[in-house]
C-alpha cells in the first residue's frame, strides 16, 4: 500500500528470524529429554521468539493502519469501509474478537 519496500523488508526479516528461532527451539526440544532442563536452558529463546512475533504483528498492523488512514478517498461510503478495515486490523493485532 505504501509503494515502498522498507517496511516489507523489515517485516520479512523479522519473520525469517522468528522462523529460525522457532526451528532452533523445536530441534532442542526434541534433543533434550527433560522438559525442566529444556525450559531452564532455552527459556530465553522462547521469550525472544514470542517477542519477535509480537513486534512483527504490531509493525504490520501499525503500517496497515497508517497507510489505510493516509490513502482515504474522501467518499463517505468508501471511508466507512476503510474505517472498518482499520478497526478489524487493530482488533486482530490485539487479539480481540471482532
Amino acid at each position: 500500500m505504501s509503494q515502498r519496500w522498507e517496511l516489507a523488508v523489515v517485516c520479512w526479516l523479522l519473520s525469517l528470524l522468528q522462523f529460525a528461532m522457532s526451528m532452533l527451539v523445536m530441534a532442542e526440544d526434541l534433543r533434550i529429554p527433560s522438559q525442566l532442563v529444556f525450559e531452564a536452558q532455552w527459556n530465553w529463546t522462547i521469550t525472544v521468539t514470542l517477542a519477535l512475533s509480537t513486534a512483527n504483528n504490531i509493525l504490520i498492523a501499525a503500517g496497515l493502519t497508517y497507510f489505510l488512514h493516509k490513502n482515504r478517498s474522501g467518499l463517505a461510503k468508501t471511508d466507512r469501509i476503510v474505517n472498518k478495515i482499520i478497526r478489524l486490523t487493530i482488533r486482530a493485532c490485539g487479539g480481540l474478537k471482532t
Side-chain angles (χ1 to χ4, degrees):
M1 291 185 68
S2 70
Q3 304 299 322
R4 300 197 44 121
W5 56 270
E6 293 89 353
L7 182 61
V9 169
V10 170
C11 290
W12 183 82
L13 288 174
L14 284 173
S15 293
L16 186 62
L17 187 56
Q18 177 192 354
F19 175 75
M21 297 286 284
S22 296
M23 292 297 107
L24 176 65
V25 168
M26 181 192 65
E28 289 302 316
D29 188 32
L30 294 173
R31 187 180 68 80
I32 298 174
S34 169
Q35 187 66 27
L36 293 175
V37 173
F38 170 76
E39 286 180 15
Q41 291 178 351
W42 294 93
N43 190 33
W44 67 273
T45 312
I46 296 168
T47 303
V48 169
T49 303
L50 293 173
L52 286 170
S53 175
T54 301
N56 202 18
N57 285 340
I58 290 171
L59 188 60
I60 291 168
L64 183 58
T65 300
Y66 172 76
F67 292 116
L68 281 171
H69 184 72
K70 182 180 172 189
N71 294 317
R72 291 177 191 228
S73 68
L75 300 172
K77 191 171 185 177
T78 304
D79 285 348
R80 278 195 300 272
I81 294 170
V82 170
N83 288 337
K84 186 171 185 174
I85 293 171
I86 290 171
R87 281 194 306 275
L88 290 171
T89 299
I90 294 170
R91 286 180 183 165
C93 179
L96 302 174
K97 292 184 180 179
T98 56

